[in-house]
Amino acid sequence: DSGVTQTPKHLITATGQRVTLRCSPRSGDLSVYWYQQSLDQGLQFLIQYYNGEERAKGNILERFSAQQFPDLHSELNLSSLELGDSALYFCASSVYGVNSYEQYFGPGTRLTVT
Amino acid sequence: DAKTTQPNSMESNEEEPVHLPCNHSTISGTDYIHWYRQLPSQGPEYVIHGLTSNVNNRMASLAIAEDRKSSTLILHRATLRDAAVYYCILGGNNAGNMLTFGGGTRLMVKP
């Protein structure tokens, strides 16, 4: 158990819909990262937040957005869903600084768009 | 970004040592070498990281070549539970510190 929790575990929705994925980081970790894992693209970094502020952006689509709240939990919002958005979405957390590459991943949310 | 090259797959026998290679010929002086693994149906798991010197922890050892253009993750006694995809990732201590995953090496462990 990494200490990172993600809800829901599975999500099935239709094209065009909007969903919200939730992540609670390990106690004490200020950085939260979102990654997407699909069969054709592998594991890809989407976005990072540190203590409520956006720190880095990867190949995140404009239809996707995220935020980190004062209690440090984070939400990833996916809108106008397409079939190609079906994937595993992982959240990871870390301390900040030299050891921030030591990231702890949650169990993921499996999103299926039909 | 500096890239890494890993074999697509490797096979090992249970209770034998496993050496997983990674080539990173374009590594920069500030890039750390990180190893993660992903067990089936789980999120990636941090294994070990290093900069220049060899590193040991309870999970594995990391051997880094003197010129830093390659490294080897060593599992001293493979168990069935070690069957996973192993990712070698480079990263410096810059803002964000996101992980850039490649294809990794799928390790199969035979009983």
Side-chain angles (χ1 to χ4, degrees):
Chain A
D1 184 356
S2 67
V4 177
T5 60
Q6 288 187 249
T7 56
K9 199 170 172 125
H10 301 277
L11 201 46
I12 301 174
T13 189
T15 54
Q17 294 299 304
R18 173 189 169 94
V19 296
T20 298
L21 313 184
R22 183 188 167 105
C23 167
S24 292
R26 285 189 326 159
S27 175
D29 284 352
L30 298 180
S31 274
V32 169
Y33 306 77
W34 286 97
Y35 294 85
Q36 178 194 58
Q37 185 170 34
S38 60
L39 281 173
D40 53 345
Q41 298 285 330
L43 261 162
Q44 288 198 98
F45 166 73
L46 295 178
I47 197 164
Q48 183 216 1
Y49 278 81
Y50 170 71
N51 204 19
E53 302 281 331
E54 182 185 302
R55 288 291 296 188
K57 244 178 175 174
N59 294 327
I60 187 167
L61 298 171
E62 282 192 17
R63 301 182 284 109
F64 295 2
S65 65
Q67 54 184 327
Q68 186 179 27
F69 294 87
D71 67 352
L72 301 177
H73 91 270
S74 178
E75 292 181 355
L76 179 68
N77 300 297
L78 315 175
S79 61
S80 303
L81 285 167
E82 302 175 359
L83 295 177
D85 298 327
S86 295
L88 265 168
Y89 291 84
F90 290 106
C91 165
S93 75
S94 75
V95 298
Y96 193 71
V98 172
N99 290 322
S100 60
Y101 280 98
E102 189 172 333
Q103 296 177 17
Y104 292 84
F105 283 75
T109 292
R110 182 175 293 281
L111 174 65
T112 303
V113 183
T114 61
Chain B
D1 285 343
K3 292 191 182 218
T4 62
T5 305
Q6 299 178 253
N8 288 335
S9 63
M10 289 184 64
E11 214 170 71
S12 169
N13 293 317
E14 196 177 11
E15 298 190 6
E16 288 186 359
V18 182
H19 290 234
L20 296 160
C22 181
N23 287 320
H24 30 77
S25 58
T26 59
I27 190 170
S28 77
T30 57
D31 279 338
Y32 284 77
I33 302 157
H34 308 266
W35 283 82
Y36 276 75
R37 71 179 185 180
Q38 188 172 19
L39 302 170
S41 302
Q42 294 189 29
E45 175 185 30
Y46 166 82
V47 177
I48 199 166
H49 76 276
L51 184 61
T52 54
S53 306
N54 295 344
V55 185
N56 301 299
N57 67 19
R58 62 173 180 82
M59 287 182 71
S61 296
L62 176 59
I64 301 172
E66 202 168 321
D67 64 4
R68 301 209 327 124
K69 293 186 177 182
S70 65
S71 61
T72 303
L73 180 71
I74 303 165
L75 306 180
H76 296 287
R77 283 181 76 227
T79 68
L80 296 178
R81 198 199 170 271
D82 292 322
V85 179
Y86 286 78
Y87 298 97
C88 169
I89 300 167
L90 301 184
N93 186 24
N94 49 16
N97 293 338
M98 72 290 290
L99 299 169
T100 302
F101 289 85
T105 297
R106 181 173 297 278
L107 175 66
M108 292 165 279
V109 180
K110 296 185 294 183

